[in-house]
Amino acid sequence: MLKKGNKLYSILTGSCPKCHQESMYVANNPYKPGHLFKMNERCSNCDTKYKIEPSFFYGAMYVSYAVGIAFAVAAFVIARLLLGSSLITTFIAIVTTMIVFMPVIIRLSRNIWINFFFSYDKEAAGTTS
């Protein structure tokens, strides 16, 4: 379905934005305690440095706001419109969704942010297709 070479592939898998060959993160599971923010320094395949400058991922905070709103709206639509929950139950569903999916939102935001600055490179990936 998702093929390497597509930005969406890198965003959803957390793979190197330049070669899509390895994960940017030390642990692929964002729910692993203490490993949410731990990233590899560089890609072992194409040597891309992930933190372009100090505090590079501060920009991901702006992206996380938009991603968080998308998750909250999805929770609202499911709870209120599809399930017909009361207003207080819908509010609890939104808060619970935001807490449970916080690690996913953080990782998605970082993946989206870094993909603004890098593009897929077939030569770096070692593919000729």
Side-chain angles (χ1 to χ4, degrees):
M1 187 163 125
L2 284 177
K3 293 183 179 181
K4 290 182 179 181
N6 185 336
K7 281 198 183 285
L8 195 57
Y9 177 86
S10 176
I11 290 168
L12 295 178
T13 62
S15 59
C16 173
K18 194 168 183 181
C19 72
H20 297 183
Q21 296 298 317
E22 75 168 26
S23 176
M24 294 186 293
Y25 301 98
V26 173
N28 285 336
N29 184 355
Y31 292 99
K32 190 171 183 181
H35 287 83
L36 176 61
F37 295 105
K38 289 188 179 178
M39 297 181 72
N40 296 314
E41 179 81 21
R42 294 178 175 274
C43 176
S44 63
N45 183 63
C46 67
D47 203 38
T48 297
K49 185 176 180 183
Y50 297 131
K51 294 179 184 177
I52 298 170
E53 59 187 29
S55 306
F56 171 70
F57 286 105
Y58 280 172
M61 289 187 302
Y62 297 103
V63 177
S64 73
Y65 179 77
V67 174
I69 293 297
F71 273 76
V73 168
F76 172 81
V77 168
I78 291 168
R80 185 75 174 174
L81 302 179
L82 295 180
L83 300 177
S85 300
S86 68
L87 197 55
I88 190 70
T89 304
T90 301
F91 176 75
I92 292 168
I94 292 169
V95 170
T96 303
T97 299
M98 297 304 289
I99 291 169
V100 168
F101 287 102
M102 182 195 67
V104 173
I105 293 168
I106 290 170
R107 287 269 179 105
L108 275 175
S109 301
R110 281 182 166 220
N111 298 348
I112 292 167
W113 183 250
I114 199 166
N115 273 277
F116 281 136
F117 299 94
F118 290 100
S119 294
Y120 180 73
D121 182 0
K122 287 182 186 179
E123 292 177 16
T127 61
T128 57
S129 58

